[in-house]
Amino acid sequence: MDDDVLTTLKILIIGESGVGKSSLLLRFTDDTFDPELAATIGVDFKVKTVAVDGNRAKLAIWDTAGQERFRTLTPSYYRGAQGVILVYDVTKRDSFTKLGNWLNELETYCTRNDLVKMLVGNKIDKDNREVDRNEGLKFARKHSMLFIEASAKTRDGVQCAFEELVEKILQTPGLWESSTQSCGVQLSDDPQQQGHGACGGYCSLL
Amino acid sequence: MSGPGAPIRFCVCAGVVTVIYLCGKLCVNRFISRVEEVLNDWKLIGSNFGKPPEKGEYTSRTWDEKSRDINFADFRFSITHHYLKQECVESEGREDVEEDAFPLAMQDLLCMNNDFPPRAHCLVRWYGVREFVVISPGANCEAIISESKCNLLLSSVSIALANTGCQVPVFVQIQQKWRKMYSGECQGPGVRTNFEMVHLRKVPSQYNHLSGLLDVFKGKIGCPLSPLPPINIAIRFTYILQDWQQYTWPQQPPDFDGLLAGEVGGVEFGKLPFGPCEDPISELHLATTWPHLTEGIVVDNDVYSDLDPLQAPHWSVRVRKADNPQCLLGDFLMEFFKLCSQKESTEEILGRNSVEEEGKENSDITQALSKLTEPAAVPIPKLSVSNMVHSARKRIRRHRRLDQSPLSNDMLNSILLYLFPDAAVDRPDLTDAKSPQSSSGGKSERDTESDDYNLFNLLKSAPSHSLTFRLALCMCLVNFYHGGVRAVAHLWQEFVLEMRYRWENNCLVYGLAAGPPDLRCCLLHQKLQMLNCCIEHKRARDSGSGRDRKEAASENGILSPTSTGAGPTLSETPLGKPWDSWSDSEDEFFECLSDTEEIKDVPADRAKGGAKEVGRAKPEGRLQPHGKLTLLNTDEPLYVPVTQEPAPMTEDVLEEQSEVLAKLGTSAEGAHLRARMQSACLLSDMESFKAANPGCSLEDFVRWYSPRDYVEEEVTDDTGQTVVLSDLSARMKIPGNMWVEAWETAKATPARRQKRLFDDTKEAERVLHYLAVQKPADLVRHLLPCVLHAAMLKVKEEEASEDIHSVRKALQQVISQASKLLRHPSPDCRKLEDIINQIMALEAIVARARSLKAKFGVVKGDKGEDSEDLEKFVSSLLEEPEVAVTGAGRGPAGTIIHKLFGSAQRAALLAPLEEEAGRAGGPENRKPMGGGGVPDFPPPAGREILLRTCVPRPAPYSRALPQRLYCVLMREDFRLAGAFSSDTSFF
C-alpha cells in the first residue's frame, strides 16, 4: 500500500487541554466522534494516507496532551514535524488568548523554521461562542498560518483542515523532499551545472 | 526567389548514377530536408530585420542556443542555433523595411560596435554575427576531413538555405574539433556571403604584419575598382604579464613553528587558517586596441611598426585566475572531510599496545578516583576541581609512552587547556565549575550574536565557543598539522577519558549550555549536554544528602519541627517558612534513602501526628501554594508539589522512543498501551501531589494539573438560588480511565523518595559508551557541521574586510544549501564535498581580491581620487571578464600596469642594477618588435587585425557588399577568417 505514497509527513496537533485535539484527529482518521474521549497522556499517534492533487501522502499525526505539566515532555516530539495544527476552542476565550504561547513553544522546539501551520477553531457546533471567526482569521494572518473553523462533532471543516495543510506542505518542496532523499532518487541536480563542462565554443581569445 | 512555399530541389550528385550513388543521393536529399525542417521549426526562414547592435551589446546581453541531432546516412550531426537573446519583443513596425535589404548577418559584418568581445563564441568574434547556425559532427563521430565530404556538406547547406529562404548564416564545422575550423554561407535576396577560413600552425613571414594582411584581403576581394574604397582597420594586441616581481600577493605563510612549539595561547586553537598558498592571480592580459584606423594612417610592416601599445587609444585588462589555487582553509576542510572514509576504529589506528595501556590507566584512575568519591571519605566541595583534573592528567602522562603518541605531551596539554580552560591551575576565575555562568555559554550568545545563533541553528552545529565547536576546530587542527588521523584518534581518546573523569568526579563539563540537550544542535553536542545533565543530577543528589546532613547538624536545635516541638499545628503555619525556603533551592533529592534525617524524621513525625490526627500524614515535598486554592475536603491550602522532571533526551534516543510509541499502532489497545507507557510522569506527579497535600482528592489534583477538566457551573437550584456546581469534566469521570486508574495506584510519596524517572548513572554510561565507540570517521561526520559553521564565519569575516558583494551573496547560498543538507540525518557525502568546494571557491575569490589589491597598490583608507578609481577598477577585474582602463596607458591604472610590465621585462632581460638607467629613456625610443634597449612590453602574445570594406563583387557593376577579414596571429596559431559577399544577380 505504501508503494505509491509520495512521501510521509509528520504532523503535530497542539493546543490547550480540552479544545478537542484528539476529537479532531479521531474524526479525521476514523470519521467518528466520541464525546467521552479520555484526556490524552503524553502523546498519541495515528496514521492516515491522504490523496491531495493526485499525490498520496502518508500522514503520521502526533496528538499531544495540552496540560501545562506535559509541556516539558511533549515538545521533544515536535522534532522534524513538517506541519502543525494549532487548535483552540471557539467557546473558550482563554484557549484562544494562549495561542501566542503555543507559537513560542513551536519556535523554540521545532527543528525547522519553515513548517506549515494551520490554525483551527474547533467546536463551532456549540452556541456559546466566545471567539469570533474574524478574530481567528486575523490572528492566523498575522502569524502567517492557514485558518479554518471546524467541528469534530459535526465533521465541519475537519477533512479540509488536514487536506489544506498537506497541500501547502507539498507545495513547499524543501520541506518534504528530504523524506524521499534516502531512496536515492534525485531527479534534478543544479541546472547551472549543465553545459558547462566543455567550453561549447565560448571562450576568450587566449 | 525561392521561398518556403515553392520548394525547388537541386540535385548535388550530377555524376554517374550507380546504385551506390543513388543511395548517397537519397541520403543527401534526406539530410537537406532534415536541415530545412529544423530551420523551419526554429522559424529561421525568411528575412530578418534589426537595428545594428549597440556598443558592447554582445557582452552585456546573454546568448542562448538550442540544439537538435540530425543524421547524414549513418553519420550523426548536431545542429545548433546560437543567438543573442532579445530583451523585449520588437515585432511591430517592421513592414516598411526595404524588401531587398541585406541579411542581418551581412550588416553585422561591418558593424564596429562589438569588435573583440571579451567573451563570445569564436564565430561571433570572427564574423561579428548576432545569430548563426552551426552543424558539427556528433559527440562520438569522427571529424569531416576529406574535401569531398566538406563540399558535399556545404552544398547541401547551400541548397537548404536556398529552399527555405533562411537568411541566418549556417556554418559547418570541418577538420578536427580543436582546430575550430568552420566553413559557411549566408544567403539573401540576390546576395551571398561565403565564410572561409585558413588555419596554420606558424605565421607565414609575409603575413606577419598589417601590410601583408591587407594584401591578402585585397587579393581575395579582387576588386576591379580603382582607387579601391577605403579599408577600415581595427587592431588589438594582447600582452601577457606572468612575472609579478615584487608585487607578490600579501599572504603571510602560517606560523607553523609557533603552533609546533607548544607555546600557544588558547586563542590560536580557535582560529581557522585562511588564504592561498600560491598567488591566485596567475596572469594579467593587457589588450591594447586601435579601434578605428584606415589604411595609410599607420605603418606596420616587416621592418617598422607604429603600433606602440602605450599609444593605443584603448586599453582593457583581464586577469587569469589560477585554477583551484591551493588555499589553506579549503585544504583544512578537505583534509578533515577525507577522514570520513577512514574505516578503522580509534583502537586500530592507535595500535593495540596503546589500548591495553589505555585500559589499564583508565581502570587505574577510576579506582583511584572511586576511592576519592567514596561518600563520607573526602569532603568533595573542598577538593579543587582543577587540582584533581591536573593530577589525573599527570597520571595519564606518566603511563603513556612518549614515542607512541601522535601528539606530544606539550601539544596535548595546550589543546586540552584550550578545550577545558576550567582545568587550568593558574586561572582561578574559571576553576569554579559550580558557577552556572561557566556552563551556559550558549544562552548568552543567543542574545549577543544573533547571527551566529541563527547559523548554528541552520547548520545544526553548535554555538561557537561551545566545547563541541572548539573540539571540532582542534580536531581539524591536529589532523592538518599534527599527524592526521592518528592525532585525531589520540585527541579523541583523551577527550573521552576526560569526559569519564568529569562524570566520575562530579565535575561539570565546561562550555555547554545548561539544560536538556538542545535538539537544534548536532548529536555530539547533545550527547555532551546529556552528560552534563547526568553530572548535574548526580551532584544534586550528592550535595543534597550532604546538605541535609549539614542542616541536620546545624539546624536541628533551632528550626527543625521535631526538636522545637511546636505542637500539633506543625504542618501548618509555622512550617510554611522553612519549607518554602527549603524548596526554593534548586536541589531535588531523589532516592535519598540513605538520608538519615529522613529516616529519623518520618517516624517521629508520624508518632506526633498519630497522636492528634490518625491517618493524616505529614505533608512532604511542597513547592508552593497554588494560588489561593484550598483542598476540597479539608480547607487546607492546595500545594504545588516538588516534582521530578521528565528525563532529558538526545535526538537519537528520542527517535527510538517515538518509534517504539509509533509501533504500538493506532488501535485502541495500542493507544492505551502508549498512554500507559507515558504515564510514569503523571503517576510520579500524582504521588508528589498526594504527599504534599494529605487528604486530597483527584478533583484537587485535576484543579492543579488540568484545570479545564474541573468544570464550575452556575446553576439555579430548586429553591431558586444560584449555586456554583463544580465537578470533574465528563472525560475525567469515564470509569476506568487512566487518570482515575493512576490516581488510585498513586501512593503519597514525595519526589525525592520516588523511583527516579531519570537514571543519571545509566544515562551517563550510555553517553560515555557512545563516545568511546565513535571511530574517527564518525567523529568527523559529527563535527563537520561545526567545522563548516566555523569556515563560513571565517569566510564572512574575511569578506567583511574586503567587502566583496558577490562573495556575500554566494555565501548566503552556500549556507542555505548546507542548511538543507545538514538537517538530513545522514547527509550525502558527495554533496558535503560540494559544499566544501564552494567554500573553497569563495576563499579563492577573497584571495584574488587581496592579491589584486596588493598588486595595484590599493590601500585601505587611502582616500585619494585615484585610489578610489583604482579600487573600483580592481573590484571590476574580479567580477567582469574584461575591464576597460580609463585613460589607457596614461591613467592611474595604466601607469601601474605599464610599470608592472616594465619591471617584469627588465627582470627577464637585464641585470637588476641597470634597470633605472634603461627606463629613463622612456617609451618614445622603443619599438614594439625588438630594437635597442629593453622594451617595456614583451612581444604581444596575440595580435588581432580586423579588415572591413564594402565593395562591389564580383563585377564592377555588382552591388557594393560587405567584405570582412579577421586575422589572428599568435605564437603557434595563425588564422584568417574571411567573409566575402558577392552579388548573385549581377555578375
Side-chain angles (χ1 to χ4, degrees):
Chain A
M1 180 198 131
D2 284 2
D3 291 347
D4 56 342
V5 164
L6 180 67
T7 179
T8 301
L9 301 177
K10 178 171 176 178
I11 312 279
L12 282 177
I13 306 185
I14 58 173
E16 289 292 307
S17 75
V19 296
K21 295 181 291 296
S22 304
S23 296
L24 280 172
L25 182 55
L26 190 65
R27 171 59 81 191
F28 177 62
T29 55
D30 299 20
D31 198 19
T32 54
F33 181 72
D34 179 358
E36 296 204 326
L37 205 55
T40 308
I41 291 172
V43 295
D44 199 10
F45 171 82
K46 281 194 186 302
V47 181
K48 178 159 174 157
T49 303
V50 290
V52 175
D53 295 340
N55 294 316
R56 284 164 63 77
K58 186 171 158 188
L59 309 184
I61 310 165
W62 291 85
D63 180 22
T64 61
Q67 281 81 8
E68 189 97 33
R69 270 295 291 170
F70 283 123
R71 273 188 224 172
T72 44
L73 182 72
T74 51
S76 29
Y77 293 91
Y78 290 14
R79 216 178 82 84
Q82 285 122 326
V84 63
I85 291 186
L86 177 49
V87 189
Y88 68 94
D89 177 350
V90 297
T91 71
K92 294 264 165 36
R93 175 152 289 277
D94 73 318
S95 74
F96 181 73
T97 50
K98 285 191 176 158
L99 288 176
N101 298 348
W102 287 101
L103 287 178
N104 286 339
E105 195 103 326
L106 273 180
E107 188 155 334
T108 320
Y109 295 105
C110 268
T111 47
R112 52 196 336 151
N113 38 19
D114 52 351
L115 91 170
V116 180
K117 288 172 260 185
M118 160 72 83
L119 181 64
V120 175
N122 193 24
K123 306 197 188 178
I124 52 169
D125 55 288
K126 290 195 175 179
D127 324 318
N128 51 339
R129 184 192 268 269
E130 288 181 6
V131 184
D132 189 61
R133 184 174 188 280
N134 281 329
E135 284 182 81
L137 193 61
K138 217 173 119 193
F139 185 88
R141 265 204 204 121
K142 189 176 160 199
H143 296 96
S144 38
M145 292 188 275
L146 302 167
F147 175 69
I148 199 166
E149 285 198 330
S151 162
K153 193 171 179 180
T154 64
R155 78 164 62 111
D156 269 344
V158 177
Q159 195 73 20
C160 196
F162 283 88
E163 277 172 6
E164 272 196 34
L165 182 74
V166 173
E167 192 177 4
K168 186 74 191 286
I169 295 172
L170 293 183
Q171 281 167 6
T172 319
L175 201 49
W176 56 273
E177 266 167 351
S178 61
S179 51
T180 51
Q181 212 173 47
S182 46
C183 310
V185 188
Q186 198 66 27
L187 289 176
S188 64
D189 234 305
D190 291 76
Q192 27 173 328
Q193 299 225 332
Q194 288 171 5
H196 270 263
C199 103
Y202 293 88
C203 46
S204 53
L205 167 71
L206 295 164
Chain B
M1 254 177 77
S2 60
I8 304 160
R9 300 222 169 262
F10 290 88
C11 180
V12 168
C13 306
V16 189
V17 180
T18 66
V19 181
I20 299 160
Y21 278 122
L22 187 66
C23 165
K25 187 177 152 190
L26 279 175
C27 294
V28 168
N29 278 340
R30 206 174 295 142
F31 177 72
I32 293 171
S33 56
R34 268 300 282 152
V35 173
E36 288 173 17
E37 214 178 288
V38 172
L39 293 178
N40 265 308
D41 280 359
W42 287 342
K43 300 195 169 51
L44 298 180
I45 45 169
S47 36
N48 47 4
F49 306 101
K51 285 181 287 195
E54 297 284 320
K55 189 126 193 101
E57 212 177 346
Y58 286 4
T59 321
S60 60
R61 272 168 53 188
T62 47
W63 287 82
D64 211 346
E65 58 181 71
K66 45 191 170 191
S67 273
R68 289 266 186 95
D69 283 346
I70 51 175
N71 292 318
F72 192 155
D74 51 357
F75 218 85
R76 227 188 52 232
F77 288 92
S78 80
I79 176 165
T80 310
H81 179 213
H82 297 262
Y83 55 99
L84 191 61
K85 258 192 182 161
Q86 290 298 317
E87 242 148 28
C88 51
V89 191
E90 304 170 68
S91 53
E92 295 116 62
R94 291 278 166 233
E95 276 78 38
D96 53 336
V97 181
E98 334 148 40
E99 210 188 75
D100 55 351
F102 296 149
L104 267 188
M106 285 195 201
Q107 299 173 35
D108 289 346
L109 286 177
L110 293 183
C111 177
M112 295 173 49
N113 283 341
N114 288 283
D115 290 346
F116 315 118
R119 185 180 168 81
H121 192 284
C122 52
L123 287 168
V124 177
R125 176 182 305 276
W126 298 333
Y127 298 119
V129 287
R130 72 182 82 173
E131 181 179 24
F132 55 95
V133 172
V134 177
I135 300 175
S136 51
N140 301 319
C141 291
E142 53 190 287
I144 308 147
I145 293 174
S146 87
E147 200 172 332
S148 64
K149 269 188 189 164
C150 293
N151 286 339
L152 187 65
L153 209 55
L154 267 174
S155 29
S156 311
V157 164
S158 181
I159 293 163
L161 284 176
N163 285 345
T164 52
C166 169
Q167 294 192 354
V168 175
V170 176
F171 295 89
V172 175
Q173 179 160 28
I174 50 180
Q175 306 296 340
Q176 293 85 351
K177 278 210 163 158
W178 61 266
R179 294 187 64 187
K180 289 188 189 159
M181 289 282 283
Y182 296 88
S183 195
E185 186 169 324
C186 175
Q187 292 185 11
V191 288
R192 186 180 63 227
T193 302
N194 287 88
F195 298 91
E196 299 164 16
M197 198 167 287
V198 173
H199 182 229
L200 301 170
R201 286 288 291 273
K202 279 260 176 279
V203 185
S205 62
Q206 67 269 38
Y207 303 132
N208 200 1
H209 40 71
L210 176 62
S211 54
L213 295 167
L214 275 168
D215 291 343
V216 175
F217 189 47
K218 286 177 193 159
K220 186 70 196 174
I221 296 167
C223 180
L225 293 186
S226 172
L228 201 68
I231 293 176
N232 185 310
I233 306 169
I235 298 178
R236 171 148 128 159
F237 284 3
T238 301
Y239 298 87
I240 296 181
L241 176 71
Q242 281 166 313
D243 178 8
W244 294 96
Q245 285 298 304
Q246 71 269 39
Y247 298 90
T248 43
W249 96 111
Q251 173 80 20
Q252 293 291 316
D255 187 7
F256 298 112
D257 293 343
L259 289 171
L260 284 164
E263 269 207 316
V264 196
V267 219
E268 287 307 311
F269 283 111
K271 285 187 175 159
L272 286 174
F274 191 91
C277 302
E278 55 187 317
D279 195 334
I281 299 290
S282 54
E283 290 176 358
L284 179 138
H285 293 190
L286 167 68
T288 60
T289 310
W290 293 263
H292 190 96
L293 297 171
T294 37
E295 201 185 348
I297 286 188
V298 286
V299 179
D300 180 49
N301 56 33
D302 51 351
V303 291
Y304 177 78
S305 174
D306 275 338
L307 299 169
D308 176 359
L310 268 186
Q311 308 303 320
H314 187 255
W315 274 24
S316 56
V317 168
R318 61 169 78 221
V319 286
R320 178 140 193 184
K321 295 139 189 172
D323 301 327
N324 307 316
Q326 196 199 353
C327 289
L328 288 171
L329 178 65
D331 278 4
F332 212 64
L333 297 180
M334 215 29 120
E335 287 304 314
F336 191 61
F337 173 72
K338 278 184 193 156
L339 296 186
C340 274
S341 51
Q342 285 277 350
K343 297 230 166 29
E344 291 94 339
S345 68
T346 310
E347 285 76 17
E348 281 163 343
I349 288 166
L350 289 178
R352 233 175 147 64
N353 282 341
S354 124
V355 188
E356 278 164 16
E357 203 179 353
E358 200 68 55
K360 215 170 68 206
E361 277 166 18
N362 202 348
S363 60
D364 261 11
I365 295 162
T366 31
Q367 273 167 24
L369 294 177
S370 65
K371 266 180 218 148
L372 289 180
T373 48
E374 211 104 340
V378 176
I380 281 169
K382 285 191 180 166
L383 230 162
S384 143
V385 172
S386 65
N387 281 340
M388 289 181 66
V389 174
H390 198 68
S391 57
R393 199 153 293 134
K394 267 187 190 155
R395 188 181 290 271
I396 296 166
R397 296 275 151 65
R398 265 206 307 275
H399 282 260
R400 190 184 281 284
R401 257 184 247 126
L402 265 175
D403 54 318
Q404 280 180 334
S405 311
L407 291 170
S408 72
N409 273 345
D410 283 348
M411 177 51 59
L412 188 63
N413 214 351
S414 33
I415 292 175
L416 289 174
L417 272 181
Y418 167 68
L419 290 175
F420 306 103
D422 58 330
V425 193
D426 51 345
R427 290 171 76 174
D429 51 320
L430 287 168
T431 49
D432 186 12
K434 257 190 159 181
S435 80
Q437 290 91 331
S438 65
S439 59
S440 62
K443 280 269 162 63
S444 58
E445 242 141 61
R446 194 169 163 166
D447 307 324
T448 52
E449 295 173 43
S450 63
D451 250 16
D452 171 53
Y453 160 71
N454 209 6
L455 202 55
F456 92 71
N457 190 9
L458 281 173
L459 300 177
K460 202 163 168 33
S461 58
S464 52
H465 310 301
S466 66
L467 174 62
T468 323
F469 194 88
R470 281 178 287 131
L471 176 67
L473 292 180
C474 284
M475 285 294 180
C476 246
L477 186 99
V478 298
N479 177 52
F480 199 70
Y481 294 130
H482 304 301
V485 70
R486 278 173 51 79
V488 168
H490 182 185
L491 178 56
W492 179 241
Q493 217 171 46
E494 292 285 343
F495 184 87
V496 175
L497 207 61
E498 175 76 20
M499 290 299 111
R500 175 163 292 283
Y501 175 83
R502 289 196 174 233
W503 158 247
E504 285 169 355
N505 292 282
N506 287 359
C507 171
L508 278 179
V509 180
Y510 177 84
L512 297 168
D518 188 340
L519 301 181
R520 293 164 307 176
C521 295
C522 66
L523 183 59
L524 188 69
H525 188 76
Q526 295 179 32
K527 292 279 182 194
L528 298 178
Q529 281 186 306
M530 186 64 162
L531 187 65
N532 248 4
C533 285
C534 299
I535 295 171
E536 206 153 7
H537 239 257
K538 195 168 137 214
R539 275 168 63 145
R541 280 193 291 138
D542 292 354
S543 70
S545 51
R547 184 166 170 178
D548 270 8
R549 215 170 289 122
K550 197 179 77 193
E551 268 174 9
S554 63
E555 296 169 7
N556 239 352
I558 312 151
L559 275 173
S560 169
T562 39
S563 55
T564 49
T569 50
L570 263 185
S571 55
E572 288 168 45
T573 26
L575 247 190
K577 194 92 181 146
W579 271 113
D580 267 356
S581 64
W582 179 82
S583 52
D584 269 348
S585 79
E586 299 145 26
D587 301 332
E588 297 171 358
F589 315 127
F590 311 124
E591 272 195 314
C592 297
L593 293 172
S594 58
D595 187 334
T596 44
E597 188 208 10
E598 195 76 24
I599 292 158
K600 204 172 59 192
D601 204 14
V602 172
D605 182 53
R606 208 166 266 161
K608 277 207 173 87
K612 177 88 190 199
E613 294 172 61
V614 181
R616 184 84 181 275
K618 179 200 165 212
E620 286 179 282
R622 285 176 168 178
L623 182 63
Q624 66 203 35
H626 188 44
K628 292 207 160 33
L629 287 186
T630 52
L631 296 183
L632 294 168
N633 297 339
T634 63
D635 286 341
E636 271 194 59
L638 189 155
Y639 278 89
V640 174
V642 174
T643 50
Q644 287 200 57
E645 289 309 307
M649 279 185 283
T650 52
E651 66 185 30
D652 53 340
V653 176
L654 179 67
E655 200 70 38
E656 276 167 33
Q657 190 156 327
S658 332
E659 232 166 81
V660 169
L661 290 180
K663 268 197 186 129
L664 293 173
T666 54
S667 64
E669 298 78 52
H672 188 81
L673 208 55
R674 192 156 36 231
R676 183 160 291 261
M677 282 175 70
Q678 295 175 88
S679 63
C681 201
L682 178 66
L683 186 70
S684 150
D685 288 346
M686 284 177 168
E687 296 197 326
S688 309
F689 187 83
K690 278 189 175 175
N693 298 287
C696 63
S697 63
L698 177 60
E699 281 84 346
D700 292 317
F701 177 76
V702 166
R703 282 196 298 161
W704 164 55
Y705 210 83
S706 183
R708 252 179 236 93
D709 280 302
Y710 191 71
V711 195
E712 302 196 333
E713 230 181 327
E714 285 190 1
V715 186
T716 317
D717 67 2
D718 303 340
T719 60
Q721 277 182 312
T722 6
V723 281
V724 179
L725 279 184
S726 39
D727 199 358
L728 283 179
S729 66
R731 63 176 182 178
M732 284 294 174
K733 285 192 289 192
I734 307 166
N737 92 63
M738 202 161 289
W739 293 69
V740 176
E741 207 179 292
W743 182 255
E744 280 159 7
T745 340
K747 294 190 219 57
T749 317
R752 55 177 160 163
R753 278 193 279 117
Q754 288 170 11
K755 182 183 184 312
R756 279 187 282 175
L757 287 180
F758 178 54
D759 185 342
D760 50 50
T761 316
K762 201 179 99 195
E763 284 303 326
E765 286 304 332
R766 224 163 126 174
V767 169
L768 290 169
H769 174 74
Y770 181 88
L771 297 181
V773 299
Q774 296 303 303
K775 294 175 184 176
D778 303 326
L779 194 59
V780 168
R781 275 187 286 266
H782 278 303
L783 294 176
L784 203 57
C786 289
V787 172
L788 291 178
H789 178 175
M792 285 167 186
L793 288 180
K794 184 71 182 172
V795 171
K796 203 170 173 177
E797 174 199 324
E798 299 284 340
E799 179 273 322
S801 67
E802 304 300 328
D803 192 31
I804 311 165
H805 179 71
S806 63
V807 172
R808 218 171 311 148
K809 228 176 98 189
L811 184 63
Q812 280 313 314
Q813 283 169 357
V814 178
I815 288 174
S816 78
Q817 264 185 48
S819 168
K820 269 185 200 156
L821 191 60
L822 294 174
R823 272 155 189 278
H824 196 263
S826 51
D828 185 342
C829 268
R830 234 186 48 240
K831 287 185 176 165
L832 281 174
E833 194 172 355
D834 184 53
I835 297 282
I836 294 175
N837 282 328
Q838 290 186 48
I839 294 177
M840 288 168 118
L842 295 181
E843 184 185 19
I845 295 176
V846 174
R848 280 178 201 132
R850 294 210 168 130
S851 170
L852 278 175
K853 281 184 184 173
K855 289 179 171 75
F856 283 89
V858 177
V859 188
K860 243 202 145 105
D862 189 357
K863 278 288 167 250
E865 198 179 306
D866 281 359
S867 73
E868 210 169 287
D869 285 350
L870 264 183
E871 206 164 324
K872 225 163 118 192
F873 173 73
V874 166
S875 63
S876 9
L877 269 182
L878 278 172
E879 317 213 331
E880 288 162 30
E882 188 172 295
V883 182
V885 181
T886 326
R890 284 167 208 87
T895 315
I896 293 172
I897 294 166
H898 182 193
K899 271 189 203 153
L900 286 170
F901 271 105
S903 53
Q905 278 292 97
R906 282 191 303 283
L909 301 172
L910 283 181
L913 279 178
E914 296 167 38
E915 62 187 50
E916 286 313 312
R919 251 182 65 74
E924 305 83 59
N925 64 359
R926 61 166 286 282
K927 271 173 68 185
M929 314 299 285
V934 178
D936 282 357
F937 288 86
R943 286 174 286 158
E944 293 161 275
I945 295 171
L946 194 43
L947 307 173
R948 277 172 290 214
T949 189
C950 198
V951 297
R953 197 167 170 264
Y957 47 84
S958 301
R959 270 188 289 171
L961 296 171
Q963 318 292 341
R964 170 178 172 128
L965 181 69
Y966 170 92
C967 323
V968 55
L969 296 81
M970 288 193 274
R971 249 177 83 86
E972 295 200 323
D973 194 74
F974 173 74
R975 187 188 302 271
L976 300 178
F980 305 105
S981 318
S982 46
D983 193 326
T984 50
S985 324
F986 303 96
F987 55 91

